Structure formats: structure tokens, C-alpha cells
Amino acid sequence: MADLEVPNELRREAKEHDMYLHPIDRDTYELFFGPQHMATENFSIILKMDGNRIEKAIVNPGFLHRGFEKLAEGRPYFTNIALLLRICVPESDVPENIYSMAVDEIVGWEVPERAIWIRTTVLEMARVSAWMFWIMGFGNEIGLYTPGQWAAAYRERFMRLYEELTGGRVYHIYTVPGGVRRDIPGDRWLRQLRDTVEYVKGKMKDFDEILFDNYITFERTEGVGVMDKRFALKHAVTGPNLRATGVPYDVRKDDPYYLYDQLDFEVPVLKEGDSLARVLIRRYELEQDLYILEQLLDMGPPSGPYMVQDARLKALPRFKPPKGDAYAHVESTKGDFGAYVVSDGSHKPYRVHVRGPSQSHGVTVLEELLKGARLADVPVILKTLDNCPPDIDR
Amino acid sequence: MKMESVEKPRVRVVGEEKVRIKKSFIKPWMGVKYLFRKPVTIKIPFEKIEPAPKYRGFHTLNWKTCVGCNFCGQICPARAIEMTWMEGEKRPHPKIDYGRCTFCQFCVDVCPTGALGFSENFYLTTGGLEEDLELYDWVPIHPDKVRELNEKFGDYRFPVERIEKKGDGVYVYHLRDGSRIEFKILGYGLRPPAAAKPKPAAKSSGGAPKE
Ligand code: SF4
Ligand code: SF4
């Protein structure tokens, strides 16, 4: 081997372009984490390691590269539903709902009560199935595969309910501006939903035993990836991650939409801000969501139409809302999801902007939290922050 | 604005002692009891999943009632629909590219005459033979035929077994029950040659669904 010394000019040039040079003089190395890793889902992190410690983490998204917001400008209003829901795969109903709410507000539609009930139920079902998906991912990250298998099986029950209600399993394409696309398939479906909620509620004890009470979970998460209140507020952290730092902010309570001001539920808050707090908050919220679903079922769907009656809907491809703009947001399992839609009076939106939680959770916060963490903690921090990579790439 | 509500929460916060759980060595072993339960997995291909009624699968088209208005082509988010002229038909009919289709069924919703429908068939895959993998020029089949095939075979597969391509744009669909549908594609989104003589007011001329 010849001289490994890097010429100074090259070093300077590399520094100017923020490039990375091999070999580096100190005992550090570069590690590409993802995008195939189960924890990162569809994005990757470039880790600059010093032994087992991370010196610097650079998030490297862009593997999905879909440009949703730009694409949405080129499609008619209703059609965009089939596109925007791909922003968050585990709970595809959230982007559907925020976009529909914003368009409803622009047009000035009073969404029928039955549609509101269905939308609330669908959102809560989406939350529960997203928690199931999260349990699956998180369990796999810390090496507890069994609860993950169970969660996948229970999620399947919700997928079956979705299949009967909406006709799709993962991408439901169900909530549209003005209401929903199909009516509830009958009382049998409501009974099935109640059975499923009861069933999953009965399984909470098992989840506690095997995952949330587990010694391994505590060991792996306690004191890992700590963020404090000020840091969280500064970086626009929302959702369970914010509540784990001691800020009781929940869109469902602070800016109620749909039926949430009539529902009775609690918002869990912990002060520690570490991964364990984030895990426990999620566990409690799952319980609350099951409780909300029960309340909704007790309430029962109001009778009436499930879609607004409007002559303009006859010619759907050329449907033109009036000029205007609107912002709507909901609380998803990832955080505060919002959509801003601007209409210029034509049949395509002028601008659709989606405010997703993953931009802050998955990029800025993640990079900060990973500094100084151990390599084995990367999946734990990633999964407890719980981001949606397509949301970063939107 | 939002920060105020952070200061003075209307939220009912649950006590920490409720969320907090005790860690335990022994409890995780309780999961062992699941070893003796019935598995929830399905043994494909010995068992099969029935899709839900009204599952959004492949399309069906009633050629008699389709008026060729191209509403379906305009609403399609994936731009999968191309209007196709066929021999013996006065109007163009939609041709769906299943390489692009997202199965959103918006086209079915907007169809003003109810000509376009959907079936529960959802198997996009084939046995894996080379010739199966080529992309077909696929025109939806009559709903009654699809329903009949579903009842006969009951495994929700692609209703067309083989597509024979004769010269001059003539295609023959060999359906799974042995029957054949033969048609000739005259062109996509364009007015057909003079022999077919459509009304000059036909809407979709000029390749509207493309872009
Ligand atoms: S919308 Fe219906 S009637 Fe119009 S072209 Fe499509 S299938 Fe035919
Ligand atoms: S189902 Fe959706 S994507 Fe497929 S052809 Fe119809 S409108 Fe286009």
C-alpha cells in the first residue's frame, strides 16, 4: 500500500462540497443504515461512527421520490384522493380526511351527520390499525418478534372490516370531499367492528405481558433518545412524541373536528421524553382509541345520506369549487397532520400542501437524537419517533 | 395561538401512575400459552381468502350501454384509461392499462350510464410463464360473463386465459371456460378509418386521455 495521506487540496475541495473522504485519519468510519433495514422502512441514514458511538447522522431520504404535492396540482379534485393517501401508508385515511376536510371548507359543504360518523370511525380504526403496525415494527426492532406477529394478525381483522366497508385493504380511497363513497354495509358490519374492538381489548393484557411490561423493553428504551420540552417545541414535534415530553397537546382536544368534542377520552402525558415514555404513551393511546371506538358504536351511526346532495357532483371530472383556501388538520398516530388547499376556481387545485409530522420527526429531530447514541439504539430511536418516509419525500 | 392552549390545556391529562407500567422478568413467558392455540394464518394454496363483496377488483364493461363519453378517462388518477375504437362499435370504449390502474374505481363512480362496473377478481399475478407476463391490450369484459366465470371457478383469477393476437389488430380472448371473444382494435383515442363511420361529434377524438 502506498501513501494513504490525502493531499490537502483534495481535502479542502471535499470540505467545500461537503463530501466525504476515504480513508479518514481518525478511527471513525461511515455506515449506511437502510433503506433495506426494517426500521428505516424506505429511507436511509448515513452514520458517521466512532467505534460504537454515532458522531454524526445524516438522514438520506428520497427513495420514494414521488412529489405528491406537485402531482396533485395536475389532477381533478376528487382524483387527488387516490394519490394523496399514499403519503402515509399505515394510516392512509388521515391524508384522505385532511384533504377532504379542506375541500369541504372551500366549497362550504355541510357534510351529512352520517358521513361525519363514518369518517370519525374510519379515522379511529386507522389509528388502531396503525398502532398494531407500530407494535409490529417496534417489537421487531428490539428483537421481540412474537408481539409483532400477534399485532399483524389483529391488524388483519381491521383490514377485513375496511375491505367490507371501503373495498380496499390498505389504500381505502374512501373519504372524498362531501362525504364518503359508500354506505356502511349493514348492521352486521357494526357488530363485527364491536366484536373486533372487544377482541383487541381482550388482547391488551397479552401485549402488556409480552411487550410493555417486558424487562427487555425497559432495558432497551429507558433513557435512550431523550428530548426535553423546549427542544420538542422548537423542532415542531407533535403527537405522542410531544406528549412524551410533558406537553398536553392533542388536536382532537385542542382543535376538535368531527365528533371528537362529544367523545370522552383522556390524553396521556409523561415527562421523561425518552423512548420508554414514547412507548408507554402509545400503549395508553391504543387503549383510549379502543375506548373511543366503543363510544362511537354506542352512539350508533345517525341516519341520513352519506354524501352531500349537490348537482355539481353529477359531472365529477369537471367539478369546480369556488376560489378560496382552507387548512385542516387531524391527529394521527404520527402527529399533527394537516393539509392546505388553494383553489383558483378551476377543476384542479392550485396548490396542495401537506404538513406532515415526519419532516421534523424523521429529519431534524432524528439527526439530533442520534448524536452520541449507540448503534444498537438507532432502530429504537427511529421506531419510537415513528415517522412515515413517504411524508418526508412528498 | 396554539401555544396558549399548551399553557392552559383543556385536555384531561391522565395521571402518570396510570400510564406507567412495572417491568417484569416473568410475565413475558405468559406468551408461551399461544403455542397451543389454533393458528390464524391461512395455508395458501390449500385454503383461500374470499374477497369481501364489492371488493374493488378488475373492471367489467357493458359494451351495449357505454356511450363513449370519456368521463372515466378524465377522472382516472393514474391515466390508465385510453379510449379504443373497435370494429362493429359505433363509439369508443375504455381500454384499461392494469400496469397503471390503482383500482380506485373512480371511473366506475362517474360512469353516467353505469356501463363500467367491477368484479371481485383481484389476482394480478399468473403462474409465471413467460407469455403470461406480457402486458395485454385489455378491454373489460361483460359483467354477466365475469359473474358466470366467478361462479364456475370460484378462485377469482383473471378471467382471460390466453390472448391470441392475429394480424390487423384482431384480438381473440380465450376465456377460462373455453369461450372466445373476438374484436378488432381500430385505434386508440383517434377517429377510426372511414369504413366505420362514427358520428363526427364523437367526444374523445384527439387523444384526450393521453398526457
Ligand atoms: S364513463 Fe361509462 S359510458 Fe362513459 S366512456 Fe366510460 S364506460 Fe363508457
Ligand atoms: S380504477 Fe381508478 S386507476 Fe383504475 S382505471 Fe379506473 S379510475 Fe383509473
Side-chain angles (χ1 to χ4, degrees), chain B residues 61 65-76 79-86 89-97 107 111-113 115-116 137-140 184-192 202-210:
Chain B
L61 176 71
T65 52
C66 171
V67 293
C69 62
N70 193 22
F71 262 32
C72 47
Q74 285 179 10
I75 197 82
C76 179
R79 299 191 178 132
I81 294 184
E82 222 170 345
M83 299 306 281
T84 310
W85 287 96
M86 267 161 297
E89 295 287 319
K90 288 201 183 63
R91 299 181 175 88
H93 293 318
K95 182 195 85 162
I96 294 168
D97 180 352
C107 49
C111 182
T113 60
L116 203 59
D137 280 329
W138 164 250
V139 177
K184 185 177 179 185
I185 293 181
L186 299 172
Y188 302 127
L190 296 170
R191 208 167 293 169
K203 234 188 136 180
S204 72
S205 54
K210 288 226 187 90

Side-chain angles (χ1 to χ4, degrees), chain A residues 55-66:
Chain A
E55 270 194 350
K56 193 176 178 200
I58 302 164
V59 173
N60 181 22
F63 290 90
L64 296 158
H65 204 72
R66 286 166 177 174

Side-chain angles (χ1 to χ4, degrees), chain A residues 37-310:
Chain A
H37 195 279
M38 171 80 198
T40 61
E41 291 176 11
N42 293 318
F43 80 131
S44 87
I45 314 168
I46 301 167
L47 301 170
K48 293 192 177 158
M49 305 288 299
D50 180 5
N52 194 20
R53 293 273 158 195
I54 295 159
E55 270 194 350
K56 193 176 178 200
I58 302 164
V59 173
N60 181 22
F63 290 90
L64 296 158
H65 204 72
R66 286 166 177 174
F68 299 98
E69 293 178 356
K70 188 67 197 164
L71 285 172
E73 288 167 23
R75 282 167 170 73
Y77 272 90
F78 276 70
T79 305
N80 274 335
I81 296 286
L83 170 77
L84 289 173
L85 84 172
R86 276 153 233 274
I87 286 179
C88 197
V89 183
E91 36 179 1
S92 57
D93 299 287
V94 168
E96 280 177 32
N97 271 285
I98 49 177
Y99 178 75
S100 304
M101 279 159 83
V103 176
D104 285 343
E105 202 180 321
I106 291 175
V107 187
W109 272 329
E110 277 291 322
V111 180
E113 275 178 13
R114 192 178 178 84
I116 294 277
W117 188 90
I118 299 174
R119 281 184 183 187
T120 320
T121 311
V122 161
L123 270 179
E124 281 307 314
M125 281 166 67
R127 280 176 69 88
V128 176
S129 48
W131 292 133
M132 291 296 156
F133 202 70
W134 176 81
I135 290 176
M136 188 172 93
F138 175 70
N140 289 358
E141 289 339 317
I142 59 170
L144 300 172
Y145 291 91
T146 315
Q149 305 288 338
W150 295 352
Y154 306 151
R155 180 169 177 263
E156 180 61 35
R157 292 178 174 246
F158 281 97
M159 305 237 283
R160 181 69 199 186
L161 287 169
Y162 271 128
E163 199 179 321
E164 274 167 26
L165 179 67
T166 69
R169 285 166 66 80
V170 178
Y171 292 129
H172 311 131
I173 318 183
Y174 181 60
T175 313
V176 289
V180 291
R181 282 176 72 192
R182 290 182 188 177
D183 204 355
I184 300 170
D187 286 345
R188 200 177 53 89
W189 186 83
L190 294 173
R191 272 202 304 282
Q192 274 177 356
L193 177 57
R194 192 182 283 275
D195 288 351
T196 309
V197 170
E198 286 294 314
Y199 181 81
V200 176
K201 226 174 178 177
K203 298 292 176 191
M204 283 304 293
K205 198 166 142 277
D206 288 348
F207 275 131
D208 278 353
E209 279 169 359
I210 202 162
L211 184 66
F212 297 111
D213 280 1
N214 197 329
Y215 186 74
I216 298 170
T217 310
F218 277 71
E219 287 295 297
R220 288 296 302 275
T221 56
E222 205 158 13
V224 170
V226 187
M227 54 177 165
D228 63 4
K229 207 178 200 171
R230 184 177 297 168
F231 173 87
L233 288 173
K234 184 181 154 207
H235 285 87
V237 175
T238 47
N241 299 343
L242 181 64
R243 293 193 282 277
T245 63
V247 185
Y249 172 66
D250 188 321
V251 184
R252 294 176 297 175
K253 286 278 189 194
D254 288 310
D255 186 11
Y257 49 94
Y258 295 164
L259 293 176
Y260 283 109
D261 44 1
Q262 300 168 30
L263 293 167
D264 174 39
F265 61 99
E266 290 172 328
V267 175
V269 172
L270 285 177
K271 289 191 192 63
E272 285 84 351
D274 60 350
S275 295
L276 179 63
R278 294 198 282 272
V279 170
L280 295 180
I281 290 248
R282 288 190 160 87
R283 181 223 167 264
Y284 198 80
E285 283 199 13
L286 168 56
E287 217 171 29
Q288 289 297 313
D289 287 335
L290 292 170
Y291 178 49
I292 292 174
L293 271 176
E294 271 191 345
Q295 284 180 52
L296 281 166
L297 283 168
D298 289 341
M299 220 186 258
S303 55
Y306 57 92
M307 187 78 195
V308 287
Q309 311 294 323
D310 195 325

